[in-house]
């Protein structure tokens, strides 16, 4: 899978893809991430990519031309399956969307800054808008990093234990059950007996019950069939 990211602050994305699981994904050539500085397509030699908003009001708006030129150039060697704009005024990202995106070959993520991007780019180019939560970040870069991480780890061959993503929280609209590691007794607190019983069926049943309990307690909305 190839993910291109368009940003005015490429430095913000130097580190997130260079460690741990995403690093491995890149080394195994399962994921390629290309970060592009939008100023390469600026409208003048001052690197201008934004301007005042029509109608007045504080804050700049990212202009159409630099973004359109960037997308057109990046699509010269193949169109994007999805052109995503990350913005707080969009539908919220979740595991289902991560699963869907992990099946794509080539996606572009546009990071907004200031007041966001000109609506005409959203109308003409953007195929999907994603918010990562009901709060406003200073730019879309961290949101893009979240999406790349959530999608990248789902690509076949990225996680060592191929099955482990299947048991993540949210894969079946349930939060994950609790987990324990050694020692068996820590400061007087004992690991649940069932995890030591050696019977995989009993352990699976317990994990399922705990996942349901956890979900009912912390995120009851996930158990609502309309969420499925
Ligand atoms: N840009 C600024 N805030 C954001 C958010 N919550 N989600 C996605 N992109 C953003």
């Amino acid at each position: 899978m190839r993910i291109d990211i368009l940003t005015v602050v490429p430095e913000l994305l130097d580190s997130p893809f260079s460690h741990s699981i995403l690093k491995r994904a890149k080394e195994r050539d399962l994921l390629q991430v290309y970060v592009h500085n939008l100023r390469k397509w600026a409208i003048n030699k001052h690197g201008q990519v934004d301007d005042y908003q029509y109608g007045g009001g504080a804050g700049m708006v990212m202009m159409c031309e630099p973004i359109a030129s960037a997308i057109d150039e990046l699509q010269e060697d193949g169109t994007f399956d999805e052109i995503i704009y990350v913005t707080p005024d969009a539908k919220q990202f979740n595991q289902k969307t991560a699963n869907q995106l992990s099946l794509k070959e080539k996606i572009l993520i546009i990071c907004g800054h200031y007041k966001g991007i000109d609506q005409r780019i959203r109308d003409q180019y953007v195929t999907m808008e994603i918010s990562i939560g009901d709060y406003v970040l200073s730019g879309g870069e961290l949101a893009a990093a979240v999406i790349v991480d959530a999608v990248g780890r789902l690509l076949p061959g990225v996680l060592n234990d191929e099955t482990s993503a299947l048991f993540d929280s949210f894969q079946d609209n349930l939060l994950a059950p609790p987990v324990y590691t050694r020692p068996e007794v820590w400061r007087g607190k004992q690991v649940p007996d069932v995890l030591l019983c050696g019977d995989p069926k009993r352990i699976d049943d317990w994990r399922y019950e705990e996942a349901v309990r956890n979900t009912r307690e912390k995120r009851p909305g996930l158990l609502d069939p309309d969420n499925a």
Side-chain angles (χ1 to χ4, degrees):
M1 179 181 201
R2 170 178 171 149
I3 303 181
D4 290 78
I5 303 176
L6 203 50
T7 166
V8 285
V9 200
E11 301 80 9
L12 273 175
L13 294 167
D14 278 349
S15 169
F17 315 127
S18 310
H19 307 279
S20 183
I21 287 170
L22 290 192
K23 179 180 176 200
R24 193 165 68 212
K26 283 164 72 182
E27 283 168 356
R28 291 182 184 172
D29 213 22
L30 300 167
L31 174 69
Q32 295 93 42
V33 182
Y34 295 94
V35 179
H36 308 277
N37 190 341
L38 182 64
R39 293 196 198 280
K40 185 177 156 201
W41 293 275
I43 58 156
N44 56 31
K45 62 178 184 335
H46 308 296
Q48 186 181 353
V49 293
D50 59 350
D51 212 330
Y52 295 101
Q53 56 176 316
Y54 281 118
M60 307 292 271
V61 174
M62 290 167 70
M63 304 171 81
C64 288
E65 197 50 37
I67 301 176
S69 304
I71 298 174
D72 292 345
E73 189 179 322
L74 294 173
Q75 293 210 105
E76 273 169 14
D77 52 332
T79 53
F80 292 108
D81 298 322
E82 214 72 72
I83 297 182
I84 299 167
Y85 173 47
V86 281
T87 174
D89 60 327
K91 218 175 130 191
Q92 202 161 314
F93 190 55
N94 58 20
Q95 192 64 42
K96 191 171 159 197
T97 312
N99 292 344
Q100 286 163 351
L101 288 176
S102 73
L103 302 175
K104 311 278 179 186
E105 292 275 309
K106 189 174 181 221
I107 65 176
L108 172 70
I109 304 178
I110 305 170
C111 303
H113 256 263
Y114 323 114
K115 279 281 169 196
I117 66 174
D118 190 301
Q119 181 62 37
R120 291 167 289 186
I121 291 291
R122 294 172 78 159
D123 296 341
Q124 194 166 324
Y125 283 94
V126 171
T127 58
M128 187 183 235
E129 298 184 337
I130 296 179
S131 163
I132 61 158
D134 288 341
Y135 40 80
V136 180
L137 302 166
S138 46
E141 288 73 17
L142 297 182
V146 165
I147 294 166
V148 174
D149 189 297
V151 171
R153 63 191 292 285
L154 294 174
L155 300 175
V158 170
L159 294 182
N160 271 340
D161 176 355
E162 280 282 39
T163 58
S164 69
L166 294 176
F167 298 105
D168 285 343
S169 278
F170 305 113
Q171 282 297 8
D172 44 11
N173 262 8
L174 290 176
L175 301 187
V179 293
Y180 298 85
T181 186
R182 290 191 292 178
E184 218 173 289
V185 182
W186 174 76
R187 297 191 183 175
K189 290 186 189 301
Q190 172 85 41
V191 170
D193 284 341
V194 60
L195 295 179
L196 310 171
C197 77
D199 177 347
K201 164 92 174 68
R202 268 190 69 201
I203 294 173
D204 276 356
D205 288 349
W206 179 85
R207 285 184 171 148
Y208 179 74
E209 282 160 25
E210 286 296 307
V212 173
R213 190 186 55 74
N214 226 353
T215 310
R216 189 169 293 127
E217 220 173 273
K218 298 175 191 165
R219 295 285 306 278
L222 290 175
L223 296 171
D224 180 344
D226 291 342
N227 259 314

